[in-house]
Amino acid sequence: MASFRYSLAMFILMAVIGAGDAGNVTYDGRSLIIDGQHKILFSGSIHYPRSTPQMWPSLIAKAKSGGIDVIDTYVFWNIHEPQQGQFDFSGRRDIVRFIKEIQAQGLYVCLRIGPFIQGEWSYGGLPFWLHNVKGIVFRTDNEPFKYHMKRYAQMIVQLMKSENLYASQGGPIILSQIENEYGMVARAFRLEGKSYVKWAANMAVELETGVPWVMCKQDDAPDPLINACNGRQCGETFKGPNSPNKPAIWTENWTSFYQTYGEEPLIRSAEDIAFQVALFIAKNGSFVNYYMYHGGTNFGRNASQFVTSSYYDQAPLDEYGLLRQPKWGHLKELHAAIKLCERPLLSGLRTAIPIGKLQTAFVFGKNADLCAALLVNQDKNDSTVQFLDSSYLLSPNSISVLPDCKNVAFNTAKVNAQYNTRRREPRQNLSSSHMWEVFTETVPSYSETSIRSESLLEHLNTTQDTSDYLWQIFRFQQSEPAASILKVNHIGHVLHAFVNGRLIGSMHGAFKAQKFLLEKNVSLINGTNSIALLSVMVGLPNSGAHLERRVGGSRSVKIWNGKYALYFNKYAWGYQVGLHGEQVHVYTDNGAAKVKWKQYRDYNSQPLTWYKASFDTPEGKDPVALNLGSMGKGEAWVNGQSIGRYWVSFHTSKGSPSQIWYHIPRSFLKPKSNSLVIFEEEREGNPLGITIDTVSVTEVCGHVSNSYPPPVIFWKRKSHKRNEHRHRKHRYDMRPKVQLQCSNGRKISKVLFASFGTPNGNCWSYSVGKCHSPKSLAVIQKACLSKSRCSVPVWSKTFGGDSCPHSVKSLLVHAQCS
């Protein structure tokens, strides 16, 4: 069989042609077709409100450099229409600016309009005012809901059309999504759910965007909409398109998972992600979107219930926009290898050949000159297989990519990319009591409440999502002092109980167990006793059927006085929405002047306290983070902008907080005297432990074996006319390499470890093995010191010869960037 390799130059040229300004977009059973060309596309989710306009160019550029063709985003209804008929597209909400930046960098856009998006976003992206529409039932064949959904979808589509952003207008949007994972709730709505899906599909088509529409997790997506897969293993679980004329699309490949307070982060390896992507491609997949490629930050109160402010920090681009290695680099290699195979992959000819019990060769192409193969090993052990008269050793649970059906360009289990670690460096300590001022909320009395009811009111219906906080207050007469027990059944997130102005206890639920019973001993006085319950929501629900019916707050209240129980479910209650500090916007300069602050040094720690200090912006360009490890639960603002809720006191099963550091985008900051305001719910919070930190990558590491394929970028076409010098250089290039790179202007300042031979361990726990070249450190120092990047082949000649010729050699290098 004649072998070939596609040239890298041709690969880059094909990737660039038509990008950004798409033109005509259609599809068939193989892929999306853009301006007459079938495409294999890699997409990455980046949500515009979870970052800042100042971050967008860098995030998009890093995605493009990682081999991403398409940027995918939801459209967030509740931030664009917070009040019915009042629209906002400013700042982080400027979706047009975001899409135009994507276009300027030559990438496509997948626009997921929803308008229900879930996305761990408050109320699934639906504006809360929709909850109050008479007779409404969300996401079913309900006229009020369909009216508002259609009106909103029409508005977004018209906005895109007015800016010429659809591919049919020469813009970058090549794909749109209506609804989101409706298959998860369809059963609850039965026949009305089926008719709603058909209505939504027809409504979308009638908007005439000129680009295809998809429905994810919707196996029966009506024609012409494309059904798509969401999940971590769509290479194995996706049933496929529901029509032979539709392509296989993966709208959400979860690169990790969202994290909730009280739970450990879910870590997904680069190898596992790459395996599933390659398997999806092997089974005729042609569009893969990483959810998330950059997660970002849930600023303000936008996170859904119990979800941390940091969102998908384990994505290829972390919360701050730094490269998460080796995930980013390994996927970049995968994308480049698949693009080398693009012509045979899209030729329309595919054959699956068993090459072992758990091994399969997926072969694409028409002949030897147009042939690519993906060799899949689903065994947990190494496996040697025969394919087209050649022998291949397949790593466990791996896929080897052969762009010419002969040579391995990439293996999903062999990571050529470097590893890195983040470092957070304190740049300013706020440890002096002179730096802080405090203002404490007073517990309101019944007479100060603005809402009255003869029964317990539901939390969300009362607050209308204007605040996380709702005071529920009642008073009653006690004829004599008594030791009693207060019992409150609560559905929600947090409850603080005060008796006669004094905190007697707090309790909270968890993401998977939101109901709880607060039961506390109380001392009642002779006369009028005041019971104040502060009900707290930590985000609104974001998923499930009948979202409009969800409830929260106290469900029953009783006091046992030792003789009998007093029930207060049907009683004279007073309610107050929000906190005084919220009402006056105490986190702004104008609002701060409306309350009386005290110096911290004169303060005894109390719950429900506002803290205020100022700090200067750290020098440099590294991202900035607020270390709140000494605090309890609350929310933080910098220069009047909320950087999100925090809940440091809610520990995981391993005894650590789910999140300590909170991102402060540099665009929020001034050079000097930045205002920091923190609302702390709990008594134990200590602001003197807070620091202003910077976040950077200060250490890099590579660990590559000589059994690995060379970096994909070194693949070049063989030439029989190549002169001897070029031939030697080609052989040099086609060796596996350790490649290291520092970021943000840093250079390699120190080699912490280097060993060529058989080093033990991995990048973060290593030692010299039985076979070790004594020249290892000197070779690496010469190649890498004082450079921002370096590349060293895993080759015995590089290190002065082979002292153990019968061993597989590895090179492990750990270096410091400064």
Side-chain angles (χ1 to χ4, degrees), residues 109-343:
V109 174
C110 174
L111 193 67
R112 303 174 73 182
I113 292 176
F116 170 81
I117 60 172
Q118 192 161 316
E120 295 70 60
W121 193 259
S122 185
Y123 224 39
L126 300 177
F128 194 80
W129 58 259
L130 203 64
H131 170 92
N132 299 321
V133 173
K134 186 177 180 180
I136 199 164
V137 181
F138 295 170
R139 305 176 69 202
T140 188
D141 197 355
N142 170 267
E143 292 304 321
F145 182 74
K146 291 192 298 181
Y147 168 80
H148 286 285
M149 175 175 169
K150 182 176 182 179
R151 177 188 58 82
Y152 172 73
Q154 287 175 327
M155 185 270 292
I156 293 298
V157 167
Q158 185 54 45
L159 176 63
M160 299 299 109
K161 286 182 177 179
S162 69
E163 299 288 341
N164 296 315
L165 294 178
Y166 282 106
S168 54
Q169 302 171 293
I173 303 174
I174 60 169
L175 202 62
S176 286
Q177 178 179 299
I178 199 72
E179 250 296 337
N180 190 62
E181 297 188 342
Y182 193 74
M184 302 289 287
V185 299
R187 181 176 296 181
F189 296 110
R190 300 185 180 180
L191 293 178
E192 290 185 340
K194 292 181 179 295
S195 58
Y196 166 70
V197 167
K198 293 178 181 178
W199 171 85
N202 290 333
M203 184 269 288
V205 172
E206 289 172 358
L207 294 174
E208 297 182 343
T209 62
V211 301
W213 288 85
V214 300
M215 279 185 170
C216 64
K217 278 196 175 181
Q218 191 62 44
D219 293 342
D220 61 350
D223 292 340
L225 275 68
I226 305 166
N227 62 300
C229 186
N230 285 4
R232 282 190 290 269
Q233 297 176 306
C234 286
E236 299 177 33
T237 61
F238 187 43
K239 298 177 182 178
N242 61 20
S243 164
N245 299 319
K246 298 178 184 179
I249 287 179
W250 191 351
T251 36
E252 290 188 15
N253 180 5
W254 303 332
T255 55
S256 58
F257 207 59
Y258 67 88
Q259 188 178 0
T260 60
Y261 288 111
E263 293 187 345
E264 295 286 343
L266 186 152
I267 308 297
R268 190 178 178 201
S269 71
E271 297 93 322
D272 179 53
I273 299 172
F275 177 88
Q276 288 295 330
V277 171
L279 186 60
F280 189 73
I281 296 295
K283 295 183 178 180
N284 267 350
S286 59
F287 182 102
V288 177
N289 176 62
Y290 298 102
Y291 190 99
M292 300 289 297
Y293 198 79
H294 168 258
T297 307
N298 289 313
F299 298 108
R301 298 171 52 245
N302 284 320
S304 63
Q305 55 190 7
F306 287 94
V307 171
T308 59
S309 295
S310 176
Y311 188 65
Y312 271 84
D313 183 45
Q314 293 290 330
L317 299 179
D318 71 9
E319 177 181 8
Y320 308 96
L322 301 174
L323 302 187
R324 174 72 73 179
Q325 295 280 34
K327 196 171 286 186
W328 182 88
H330 193 53
L331 295 178
K332 176 180 180 176
E333 289 273 291
L334 168 65
H335 303 152
I338 295 297
K339 292 289 184 165
L340 289 172
C341 306
E342 191 167 33
R343 283 182 57 207

Side-chain angles (χ1 to χ4, degrees), residues 379-393:
D379 197 341
K380 296 180 180 179
N381 302 305
D382 287 327
S383 179
T384 299
V385 299
Q386 295 294 315
F387 172 66
L388 297 182
D389 300 324
S390 294
S391 179
Y392 297 87
L393 177 62

Side-chain angles (χ1 to χ4, degrees), residues 308-473:
T308 59
S309 295
S310 176
Y311 188 65
Y312 271 84
D313 183 45
Q314 293 290 330
L317 299 179
D318 71 9
E319 177 181 8
Y320 308 96
L322 301 174
L323 302 187
R324 174 72 73 179
Q325 295 280 34
K327 196 171 286 186
W328 182 88
H330 193 53
L331 295 178
K332 176 180 180 176
E333 289 273 291
L334 168 65
H335 303 152
I338 295 297
K339 292 289 184 165
L340 289 172
C341 306
E342 191 167 33
R343 283 182 57 207
L345 283 174
L346 295 172
S347 67
L349 298 176
R350 168 181 170 272
T351 306
I353 304 172
I355 52 175
K357 186 176 181 180
L358 294 172
Q359 296 77 34
T360 307
F362 293 91
V363 185
F364 298 81
K366 298 178 180 179
N367 49 52
D369 293 325
L370 188 66
C371 182
L374 283 81
L375 308 185
V376 179
N377 180 23
Q378 293 182 290
D379 197 341
K380 296 180 180 179
N381 302 305
D382 287 327
S383 179
T384 299
V385 299
Q386 295 294 315
F387 172 66
L388 297 182
D389 300 324
S390 294
S391 179
Y392 297 87
L393 177 62
L394 305 183
S395 300
N397 294 315
S398 74
I399 300 178
S400 294
V401 180
L402 286 62
D404 56 2
C405 281
K406 184 175 181 180
N407 297 288
V408 176
F410 178 84
N411 181 276
T412 60
K414 296 182 176 182
V415 177
N416 277 322
Q418 73 177 20
Y419 294 73
N420 63 19
T421 54
R422 274 189 323 208
R423 179 185 177 189
R424 297 178 175 92
E425 181 180 359
R427 301 294 291 274
Q428 186 172 350
N429 295 314
L430 304 181
S431 56
S432 171
S433 61
H434 296 280
M435 293 180 171
W436 290 97
E437 295 178 285
V438 298
F439 159 69
T440 301
E441 293 276 333
T442 57
V443 179
S445 65
Y446 179 86
S447 60
E448 293 173 317
T449 57
S450 57
I451 303 170
R452 302 293 170 81
S453 174
E454 294 300 317
S455 62
L456 285 165
L457 298 181
E458 193 273 327
H459 185 118
L460 289 177
N461 281 326
T462 309
T463 65
Q464 294 292 298
D465 192 33
T466 58
S467 171
D468 285 347
Y469 302 96
L470 176 65
W471 286 105
Q472 306 168 305
I473 302 169

